[in-house]
Amino acid sequence: MNTITRNEKIAKVESRHIGRTAAYWTVTIILAFSIALSGIGQLMRYGGNVDLVTDIGFPLYITNILGTWKLLGVLAIVMPGFPRLKEWAYSGIFFLMTGAALSHVFAHDYGAGGFHVILPLFYAALGIASWALRPKGRRI
């Protein structure tokens, strides 16, 4: 009876580890893909990125700064090693996204259905989830 209980406990621990790892990579890939597309769009000033920034009163050159930092943050969270750099990248993504949401709120630019506020907050939540689910090897 003891060996069955021990085997069941081992199976539960392993499945929990695999599930957590799968959740981490799923959330991280969604976050990295979204932030990378946003950064590329800002660097290329593609689509509504120009209007999105200038409508709330920021100068256009901010797209170069934000786009560059977004791409560097994505590289930091997906490449192996450098756990302290990853901590900084997750913090940067969180502050960038909450700052974007608040900038739109203060400029009274909510977008259709609050899209300009909800989407950055969703990305901030993804960043928190990815950080919280990270494997032990990616922790300081």
Side-chain angles (χ1 to χ4, degrees), residues 5-6 8 13 16 18 21 25 31 34 39 46-47 56 64 70 82 86 104-105 119-120 131 136:
T5 305
R6 287 183 185 164
E8 288 174 2
V13 169
R16 194 176 311 146
I18 291 170
T21 302
W25 279 111
L31 176 68
S34 302
Y46 181 75
I56 60 175
N64 294 334
K70 283 179 180 182
F82 306 103
K86 289 180 191 313
H104 286 285
V105 166
L119 189 63
W131 175 82
K136 291 185 189 272

Side-chain angles (χ1 to χ4, degrees), residues 45-55 60 63:
R45 296 185 178 158
Y46 181 75
N49 282 297
V50 171
D51 294 335
L52 196 63
V53 169
T54 56
D55 286 350
L60 193 55
T63 59

Side-chain angles (χ1 to χ4, degrees), residues 21-39:
T21 302
Y24 165 76
W25 279 111
T26 301
V27 170
T28 302
I29 287 169
I30 292 169
L31 176 68
F33 184 72
S34 302
I35 299 294
L37 282 181
S38 174

Side-chain angles (χ1 to χ4, degrees), residues 40-115:
I40 291 168
Q42 286 179 327
L43 286 173
M44 295 177 63
R45 296 185 178 158
Y46 181 75
N49 282 297
V50 171
D51 294 335
L52 196 63
V53 169
T54 56
D55 286 350
I56 60 175
F58 287 121
L60 193 55
Y61 66 81
I62 199 77
T63 59
N64 294 334
I65 297 167
L66 294 176
T68 301
W69 283 114
K70 283 179 180 182
L71 292 178
L72 290 173
V74 166
L75 285 174
I77 65 172
V78 298
M79 72 179 178
F82 306 103
R84 185 157 324 265
L85 181 62
K86 289 180 191 313
E87 294 286 326
W88 280 85
Y90 281 120
S91 298
I93 289 171
F94 176 79
F95 290 126
L96 178 69
M97 292 299 119
T98 55
L102 288 172
S103 294
H104 286 285
V105 166
F106 293 146
H108 303 288
D109 178 33
Y110 302 103
F115 186 73

